[in-house]
Amino acid sequence: MIVGAGMAGVQTAVALRELGWRDGITLLGDEPHPPYDRPPLSKAVLLGAAGAGVDVRFDVDFDALGVDLRLGLRAQALHAEDRHLVTDAGPLPYDHLVLATGAYPVALPGTAGLPGVHLLRTLDDAAALRPVLDARQQVVVVGAGWIGAEFATAARQAGCEVTVVEAAERPLAGVLPEVVTSRMRAWYEEAGVDLRTGTPVSAVEPGAVVLADGSRLAAAAVVVGVGARPATGWLAGSGVRLGDDGAVLADDRLRTTAPGVFAVGDCASFPSARYGERMLIHHWDNALQGPRTAAANVLGGDEPYDPVPYFWSEQFGRFVQYAGHHTDADTLLLRGDPSTAAWSVCWLRGDGRLAAVLAVDRPRDLAQARKLITRSATVDPSLAADPAVPLTAAAR
Ligand SMILES: Cc1cc2nc3c(=O)[nH]c(=O)nc-3n(C[C@H](O)[C@H](O)[C@H](O)COP(=O)(O)OP(=O)(O)OC[C@H]3O[C@@H](n4cnc5c(N)ncnc54)[C@H](O)[C@@H]3O)c2cc1C
């Protein structure tokens, strides 16, 4: 039994079959649509007039795979002690359970149901935003994170007037250092987006966003992109332990605290030996890799899960990729000039190991760094800082 028919749930079903699972697989999803991929929702689906025609469905033949796909069905509760779920359609027993319920976007307090206020997580959310772009409405985006930047990109391309408001002093403040985000600030400006940082929203009213400094921004549409939280409320009292961040606390085999129950994707955190900390990753690659480990372990394997995290973003005409994981204690190396079109940043551990890379339109840097990080390679800092030297040639 797999709960959640997004990327992680679907990949779990696929991996189970690939690894030889012969018994039944039920895949339960509460959305009405056939399972689909989310990254295009803030990119191809919104970009360009043809966007509405983009097919985001996963290319998976569930019948051929022998997967019993139950859509529009919600798991309401879990009784782990006698292995059954409570669903909208009554109880469903299972032998093994994989939790893949993903995350839901955090809303601004008091805005639920307010007309013109949008979130961007689902196909329906994206469909509701197309008319905003087609009508070139005046848009205020709340949150200068990955989703905010991607939506602002599409809205500007459509000809909307766009203001992005961010409570922190800079975009992606909790994720990337100033040397990187100061360039990203310039991307907003170059795209004609009015980016206002250090300005929390104090209220959203019909047709306007009011900021903490008293300024009032007219807004035909408001798009909120202030983060996501694991969709795990339904597991309260189930025996599956959750962290303070709401994530299922999985172990390094992606097992939960309930017997026979695993967890993958955006809904679960896991301890990383590689990075020495528990990680909650809300990126596509984690929803691809985790299921392979979970499926192997459902089948009786003993595989650890300790990936090198990877994600990408497409914003303001740029392809931004990140692999690894860095902390403020790591040494930052610029590879190239951030005021040019293509550049990268590397982070090194105290012992010279490559910890992470961010590549802006330098996919080769990303690909090479990812391999080096995976094998815990150390690099020569002066060679790694030279964009003319391939990163693999900087490895010691
Ligand atoms: C607009 C957008 C753009 C993105 N772009 C990128 C990108 O460029 N790069 C990148 O690396 N990542 C990107 N991501 C993140 C990536 O899409 C997610 O990490 C990935 O979708 C996680 O997959 P998941 O299966 O864990 O969760 P989800 O995709 O959230 O799927 C979970 C599913 O479970 C369902 N569900 C929840 N609760 C229940 C329940 N109780 N019963 C039944 N079903 C339930 C949900 O409705 C949902 O359909 C983007 C995400 C969004 C929203």
Side-chain angles (χ1 to χ4, degrees):
M1 177 74 68
I2 303 164
V3 184
M7 178 71 181
V10 168
Q11 288 300 326
T12 302
V14 170
L16 279 168
R17 285 293 181 235
E18 281 175 1
L19 294 173
W21 180 260
R22 289 173 188 278
D23 290 340
I25 299 176
T26 303
L27 178 57
L28 205 80
D30 63 356
E31 293 188 66
H33 309 287
Y36 62 89
D37 207 14
R38 284 179 212 282
L41 300 183
S42 52
K43 307 175 183 67
V45 171
L46 296 180
L47 286 165
V54 173
D55 187 357
V56 291
R57 279 175 302 180
F58 290 120
D59 185 15
V60 173
D61 185 338
F62 293 98
D63 288 340
L65 268 187
V67 173
D68 180 11
L69 183 60
R70 310 240 188 130
L71 297 175
L73 196 59
R74 189 170 175 71
Q76 296 169 352
L78 165 63
H79 294 280
E81 68 290 351
D82 56 1
R83 299 198 182 210
H84 77 265
L85 291 173
V86 178
T87 75
D88 299 343
L92 282 180
Y94 64 82
D95 296 316
H96 305 269
L97 176 65
V98 180
L99 304 171
T101 47
Y104 61 88
V106 174
L108 284 183
T111 60
L114 217 63
V117 179
H118 299 258
L119 298 166
L120 181 46
R121 180 84 196 173
T122 66
L123 196 53
D124 293 339
D125 293 338
L129 281 164
R130 284 279 335 161
V132 169
L133 302 191
D134 292 342
R136 298 182 186 184
Q137 289 188 351
Q138 191 172 15
V139 186
V140 172
V141 179
V142 182
W146 304 111
I147 300 276
E150 292 192 352
F151 179 78
T153 301
R156 281 303 295 152
Q157 199 208 56
C160 299
E161 196 181 308
V162 182
T163 305
V164 176
V165 293
E166 167 59 54
E169 293 299 330
R170 50 199 183 82
L172 293 164
V175 189
L176 292 171
E178 169 118 46
V179 65
V180 175
T181 59
S182 57
R183 262 329 286 168
M184 291 176 160
R185 178 187 288 278
W187 298 350
Y188 284 81
E189 275 165 30
E190 288 158 18
V193 175
D194 179 5
L195 171 64
R196 309 222 185 160
T197 52
T199 50
V201 170
S202 63
V204 178
E205 297 169 356
V209 172
V210 184
L211 303 182
D213 63 8
S215 49
R216 198 183 171 82
L217 304 171
V222 179
V223 179
V224 180
V226 295
R229 227 182 127 74
T232 54
W234 66 284
L235 293 167
S238 67
V240 169
R241 260 184 63 206
L242 306 179
D244 292 340
D245 53 9
V248 172
L249 289 171
D251 70 7
D252 61 351
R253 265 64 182 167
L254 298 179
R255 295 173 297 219
T256 75
T257 48
V261 183
F262 296 75
V264 289
D266 280 15
C267 73
S269 66
F270 58 90
S272 164
R274 187 189 295 278
Y275 293 107
E277 58 184 278
R278 180 164 278 278
M279 305 187 85
L280 172 59
I281 301 176
H282 280 180
H283 295 303
W284 189 90
D285 192 63
N286 179 58
L288 171 70
Q289 308 292 347
R292 294 181 186 160
T293 302
N297 292 338
V298 166
L299 279 146
D302 186 29
E303 277 193 20
Y305 186 59
D306 201 1
V308 171
Y310 166 72
F311 70 89
W312 78 96
S313 171
E314 291 159 44
Q315 47 180 284
F316 307 116
R318 291 166 176 90
F319 189 42
V320 181
Q321 296 168 287
Y322 179 99
H325 175 64
H326 73 272
T327 70
D328 290 344
D330 296 326
T331 304
L332 183 149
L333 288 181
L334 275 177
R335 247 175 95 72
D337 176 358
S339 64
T340 60
W343 48 279
S344 300
V345 173
C346 295
W347 285 267
L348 304 193
R349 287 275 139 99
D351 59 4
R353 261 182 308 143
L354 185 60
V357 66
L358 175 107
V360 178
D361 283 324
R362 284 182 66 99
R364 188 169 297 167
D365 277 1
L366 190 288
Q368 295 189 357
R370 201 175 177 184
K371 287 183 191 147
L372 294 176
I373 298 167
T374 304
R375 64 175 169 91
S376 300
T378 56
V379 293
D380 178 310
S382 54
L383 291 177
D386 182 348
V389 176
L391 269 175
T392 40
R396 286 201 167 108

